[in-house]
């Protein structure tokens, strides 16, 4: 039995770490992709997970599979395709530390995943399917995701969605909105950032969470607000949780780590998302916000996840 499957992009995040003596950026290659970060956090905090996705038959594909396996994630559902290259993403930082993304993805292996390549026996084993919007940007992976979501829903699985908006990957903002709204309509559990709420509805996190429940039938809404923490809401309660104060060096993947940590806590409680009490929502939010904030103190996504004891110690402190 598996706790969760994540379907979607596997890529290498290249982050600028320095400049060479000619002033050109030097880059560090971090294995990444939101669903992998999500699963690595889920596993670090007590649940099992497997990945469905596609990489090239190249060094970076090897690196991604090895990193995920080392993080305790089952990788037999990752397709190795020699006809495409593993997707590469470049993260640069502006003068105020703000991130900008560019992608070498024409077509990156992640976009070429087809439904007939998915190992559905993994989905049969799992309690939950997690997906995001990068696998909705283009075909054939969009259809693969839509069909996998339909299959999971028909087989009584929980569906978890993180929009993870990356505008440069979409033809325009309306296309991104259309697909993200589709994802929200399918999901039982949504992790979304305050920026994404503003992008979709030009409103704040409280109104965003309320809309997710009322208009999209979401059973648990989690809105993250960067250093300000998060808001969790279900049919019975809404809680606001602060994030611990840290000195961030790299916030890449913090949202995914938040999502994986929260879902891990939820699955271990074994309760329906809409039935969680105010105290349970607070406990989930505190744990996830602490795990995510602590991860920002280290570079990278998966490699920045801290052990559970460290999270618990910080929560006690
Ligand atoms: P990403 O797209 O980078 O994965 P996101 O936009 O989905 O992230 P955020 O709202 O930025 O998600 O952050 C998720 C969680 O990470 C927050 O709830 C908080 O706990 C932690 N976090 C993020 N940025 C900071 C920060 N600067 N200081 C402390 N904690 C942070």
């Amino acid at each position: 039995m598996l706790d969760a499957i994540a379907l979607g992009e596997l890529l290498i995040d290249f982050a600028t770490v320095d400049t060479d003596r000619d002033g050109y950026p030097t880059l560090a290659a971090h294995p990444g992709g939101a669903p992998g970060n999500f699963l690595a956090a889920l596993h670090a905090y007590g649940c099992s997970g497997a990945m469905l996705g596609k990489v090239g038959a190249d060094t970076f594909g090897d690196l991604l599979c090895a990193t995920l396996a080392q993080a305790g994630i089952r990788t037999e559902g990752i397709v190795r395709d020699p006809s495409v290259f593993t997707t590469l993403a470049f993260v640069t930082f502006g003068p105020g530390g703000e991130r900008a993304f560019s992608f070498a993805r024409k077509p990156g292996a992640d976009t070429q995943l087809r439904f007939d390549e998915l190992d559905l026996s993994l989905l049969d084993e799992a309690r939950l399917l997690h997906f995001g919007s990068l696998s909705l940007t283009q075909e054939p992976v969009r259809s693969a995701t839509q069909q996998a979501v339909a299959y999971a829903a028909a087989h009584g699985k929980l569906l978890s969605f993180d929009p993870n908006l990356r505008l440069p990957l979409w033809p325009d903002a309306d296309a991104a909105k259309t697909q993200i709204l589709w994802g929200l309509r399918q999901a039982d559990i949504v992790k979304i950032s305050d920026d994404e709420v503003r992008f979709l509805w030009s409103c704040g996190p409280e109104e965003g969470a309320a809309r997710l429940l009322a208009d999209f039938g979401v059973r648990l809404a989690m809105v993250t607000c960067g250093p300000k923490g998060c808001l969790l809401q279900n049919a019975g309660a809404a809680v606001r949780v602060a994030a611990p104060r840290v000195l961030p060096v790299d916030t890449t993947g913090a949202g995914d780590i938040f999502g994986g940590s929260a879902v891990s806590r939820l699955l271990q409680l074994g309760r329906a998302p809409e039935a969680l009490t105010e105290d349970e929502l607070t406990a989930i939010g505190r744990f996830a916000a602490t795990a995510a904030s602590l991860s920002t103190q280290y570079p990278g996504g998966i490699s920045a996840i801290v052990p559970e004891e460290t999270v618990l110690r910080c929560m006690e402190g």
Side-chain angles (χ1 to χ4, degrees):
M1 186 73 184
L2 266 169
D3 290 310
I5 298 288
L7 185 161
E9 71 281 6
L10 287 157
L11 48 83
I12 304 289
D13 272 320
F14 287 91
T16 311
V17 286
D18 208 344
T19 47
D20 67 12
R21 60 187 182 164
D22 299 318
Y24 296 119
T26 53
L27 303 167
H30 295 290
N37 296 336
F38 172 94
L39 282 181
L42 184 107
H43 179 266
Y45 304 129
C47 285
S48 57
M51 181 78 205
L52 294 176
K54 184 181 268 197
V55 294
D58 49 40
T59 329
F60 288 131
D62 294 342
L63 177 63
L64 280 161
C65 290
T67 304
L68 263 54
Q70 210 175 358
I73 298 163
R74 279 171 57 184
T75 58
E76 69 266 35
I78 300 176
V79 179
R80 310 291 305 270
D81 186 342
S83 70
V84 278
F85 289 112
T86 300
T87 305
L88 309 179
F90 296 87
V91 191
T92 49
F93 298 94
E98 65 280 7
R99 286 177 302 162
F101 293 90
S102 46
F103 293 84
R105 194 182 189 241
K106 296 263 181 201
D110 68 310
T111 66
Q112 299 305 297
L113 184 70
R114 301 188 314 270
F115 182 67
D116 63 72
E117 294 177 308
L118 297 182
D119 182 350
L120 295 178
S121 70
L122 286 171
L123 253 181
D124 293 337
E125 267 188 67
R127 298 160 66 193
L128 174 141
L129 172 67
H130 175 78
F131 67 109
S133 77
L134 264 73
S135 62
L136 297 171
T137 52
Q138 64 190 81
E139 294 294 354
V141 71
R142 180 188 296 166
S143 294
T145 305
Q146 291 167 341
Q147 290 176 69
V149 165
Y151 182 93
H155 289 78
K157 312 295 177 187
L158 279 172
L159 284 159
S160 158
F161 179 63
D162 179 348
N164 215 8
L165 175 68
R166 296 287 180 264
L167 269 176
L169 291 176
W170 296 91
D172 53 57
D174 281 348
K177 241 178 228 184
T178 303
Q179 295 301 327
I180 288 174
L181 295 179
W182 176 84
L184 296 177
R185 279 194 294 273
Q186 315 309 312
D188 300 295
I189 301 163
V190 169
K191 184 256 145 221
I192 188 168
S193 72
D194 52 354
D195 289 343
E196 289 160 345
V197 164
R198 212 169 304 114
F199 167 77
L200 290 172
W201 304 304
S202 309
C203 71
E206 282 82 6
E207 190 185 331
R211 266 180 188 250
L212 286 168
L213 267 67
D215 302 344
F216 293 85
V218 168
R219 297 159 68 189
L220 171 60
M222 306 187 282
V223 185
T224 58
C225 310
K228 292 196 221 111
C230 60
L231 173 74
L232 273 68
Q233 185 165 348
N234 68 1
V239 300
R240 249 212 178 267
V241 175
R245 256 195 237 156
V246 293
L247 286 177
V249 299
D250 180 4
T251 60
T252 309
D256 315 325
I257 292 168
F258 180 99
S261 310
V263 167
S264 184
R265 271 351 202 201
L266 170 77
L267 292 178
Q268 286 173 74
L269 278 173
R271 311 241 297 130
E274 67 279 13
L276 293 165
T277 63
E278 187 171 334
D279 284 351
E280 287 167 336
L281 287 178
T282 305
I284 291 173
R286 279 193 71 213
F287 185 88
T290 307
S293 294
L294 291 175
S295 77
T296 66
Q297 300 175 116
Y298 308 99
I302 291 177
S303 55
I305 295 169
V306 303
E308 180 162 344
E309 308 81 76
T310 312
V311 180
L312 297 175
R313 218 177 311 122
C314 177
M315 287 169 69
E316 282 160 18

